[in-house]
Amino acid sequence: MRRQIIVLVWCALLLPACQPQVPPEVIQPDDMEDILYDYFISQGAAQEGMKSPAEGDYKRELYFNAVLKKHDVSRAEFDSSLVYYYTRADRFTKVMKNVQERLGDDAIGYGASASEVERFTVTALTGDTANIWNGELSRLLVPYAPYNRMDFSVKADTAFRKGDSFMLAFNSTFLYQNGSKDAMAYIAVRYANDSVASYNTHFSVAGQTQVRTVGCDVDIREVCGFVYLGMGYQADTGLKMLLMNNIQLIRFHKQKESKKPQQPDDQEARRKDSLELLPDSLRPKRHRLGERPVPGG
């Protein structure tokens, strides 16, 4: 029995040493997590006040270099380390999950202003306009299953009404070593009569993405959809990542049309209205048939 205990203790001590370690020339997981976190924050900040695509590209590159300098890492070291993690899904998934959780806890930090974050979230779910998103506020996607797609679904409740419309909105940031960007946002509304109305949009640049539905006077059963990151048009193996943050699903109640008072538009009605406004002394007097008007009468 004593011998078995000693063997178990030795196995427990040797087990961590037997696990494959990250090579020393590769940025270690904790450091890579910090770099990616700062990177996405910097890219969101670079989008603020962007006046042109060229200016945005310049600011994003400038901010990215500042992040690398902060962590004392060269561009070559960063790229090669990302390639290493990209080919090892177990470690890369853990790094991505940690980055995603940190970004979700700090939405304002990566480019969303307070007014954007609170625009709909402060509205009650029963209000005319409400954010009904029930998932994570940020997601990281790579063009490999199952990490290339974010699905969502919201079942209708008593707060849903006929004529409601919906909008899926989020901020997007791409981290690409090479190749073309190809992402799609899709939203569908399922109605009680089993009909489905679907809408989608493709996007390939950083910034805010929106896709909105049109209301229909039928009871709603479910609102669902997905965001998908494709490989692009070139068959390359470079790093491709998409960060979505400040994800919102906005429900808009149909506004009630106010009834406008009917305005008479025929000539006779307008003439009668004008006569009503005249003083009695100025109104023309009517005479019986055959009776001649008295001058001045």
Side-chain angles (χ1 to χ4, degrees):
M1 183 67 179
R2 182 178 179 183
R3 183 177 180 180
Q4 292 177 342
I5 295 176
I6 294 175
V7 171
L8 291 175
V9 170
W10 273 105
C11 289
L13 293 174
L14 293 175
L15 185 59
C18 296
Q19 294 178 346
Q21 301 296 314
V22 176
E25 66 274 11
V26 174
I27 300 173
Q28 297 303 299
D30 290 344
D31 295 330
M32 178 58 71
E33 177 186 326
D34 291 338
I35 294 174
L36 288 177
Y37 173 75
D38 287 342
Y39 168 80
F40 285 119
I41 288 181
S42 71
Q43 298 304 288
Q47 292 171 197
E48 290 295 303
M50 185 177 62
K51 298 180 180 179
S52 67
E55 180 186 357
D57 293 340
Y58 171 77
K59 288 177 64 177
R60 281 190 286 268
E61 185 68 18
L62 182 66
Y63 286 19
F64 181 35
N65 290 333
V67 169
L68 295 179
K69 184 176 181 181
K70 171 185 174 181
H71 293 275
D72 194 22
V73 173
S74 68
R75 184 63 178 264
E77 291 173 330
F78 178 76
D79 289 345
S80 61
S81 296
L82 277 179
V83 172
Y84 170 83
Y85 285 105
Y86 206 55
T87 56
R88 289 159 178 80
D90 54 341
R91 295 178 180 175
F92 189 53
T93 301
K94 185 176 181 180
V95 171
M96 286 175 54
K97 182 180 179 180
N98 291 340
V99 173
Q100 179 177 309
E101 289 177 352
R102 291 173 64 180
L103 291 173
D105 293 336
D106 190 14
I108 297 177
Y110 44 79
S113 66
S115 59
E116 290 173 334
V117 174
E118 299 174 358
R119 182 179 178 186
F120 298 111
T121 54
V122 297
T123 307
L125 293 178
T126 57
D128 288 340
T129 303
N131 181 13
I132 59 173
W133 180 255
N134 57 9
E136 299 171 328
L137 295 179
S138 63
R139 284 292 298 270
L140 278 169
L141 299 181
V142 295
Y144 295 103
Y147 311 109
N148 60 342
R149 179 165 165 154
M150 178 198 73
D151 293 271
F152 65 90
S153 174
V154 177
K155 301 293 184 181
D157 55 25
T158 55
F160 284 60
R161 302 176 187 171
K162 294 180 180 180
D164 282 353
S165 60
F166 303 88
M167 180 179 69
L168 175 66
F170 54 87
N171 295 328
S172 57
T173 302
F174 290 90
L175 175 55
Y176 271 53
Q177 287 182 313
N178 49 57
S180 58
K181 306 175 183 68
D182 180 26
M184 182 180 75
Y186 171 93
I187 183 172
V189 183
R190 301 182 186 276
Y191 294 97
N193 60 2
D194 293 331
S195 63
V196 178
S198 61
Y199 309 82
N200 67 81
T201 184
H202 286 262
F203 61 100
S204 58
V205 296
Q208 189 177 73
T209 299
Q210 297 180 355
V211 54
R212 182 166 180 171
T213 73
V214 177
C216 181
D217 288 329
V218 180
D219 288 329
I220 299 168
R221 179 179 299 169
E222 178 189 17
V223 181
C224 57
F226 61 84
V227 178
Y228 171 79
L229 179 63
M231 286 295 297
Y233 302 105
Q234 290 93 5
D236 53 67
T237 58
L239 178 73
K240 299 178 179 180
M241 294 176 61
L242 166 65
L243 168 69
M244 298 179 296
N245 59 58
N246 192 25
I247 304 173
Q248 299 183 78
L249 179 60
I250 313 302
R251 182 193 64 219
F252 302 91
H253 282 331
K254 181 180 179 181
Q255 297 296 318
K256 296 181 180 180
E257 297 181 359
S258 58
K259 294 183 179 180
K260 297 181 179 180
Q262 296 182 353
Q263 300 292 337
D265 52 1
D266 58 285
Q267 185 175 2
E268 179 62 22
R270 289 197 299 270
R271 190 184 69 82
K272 289 181 179 180
D273 290 342
S274 62
L275 290 177
E276 291 295 330
L277 298 176
L278 292 176
D280 292 341
S281 59
L282 296 180
R283 293 181 188 174
K285 296 182 179 180
R286 296 182 180 181
H287 305 277
R288 297 176 185 174
L289 184 62
E291 183 179 357
R292 305 183 74 178
V294 179

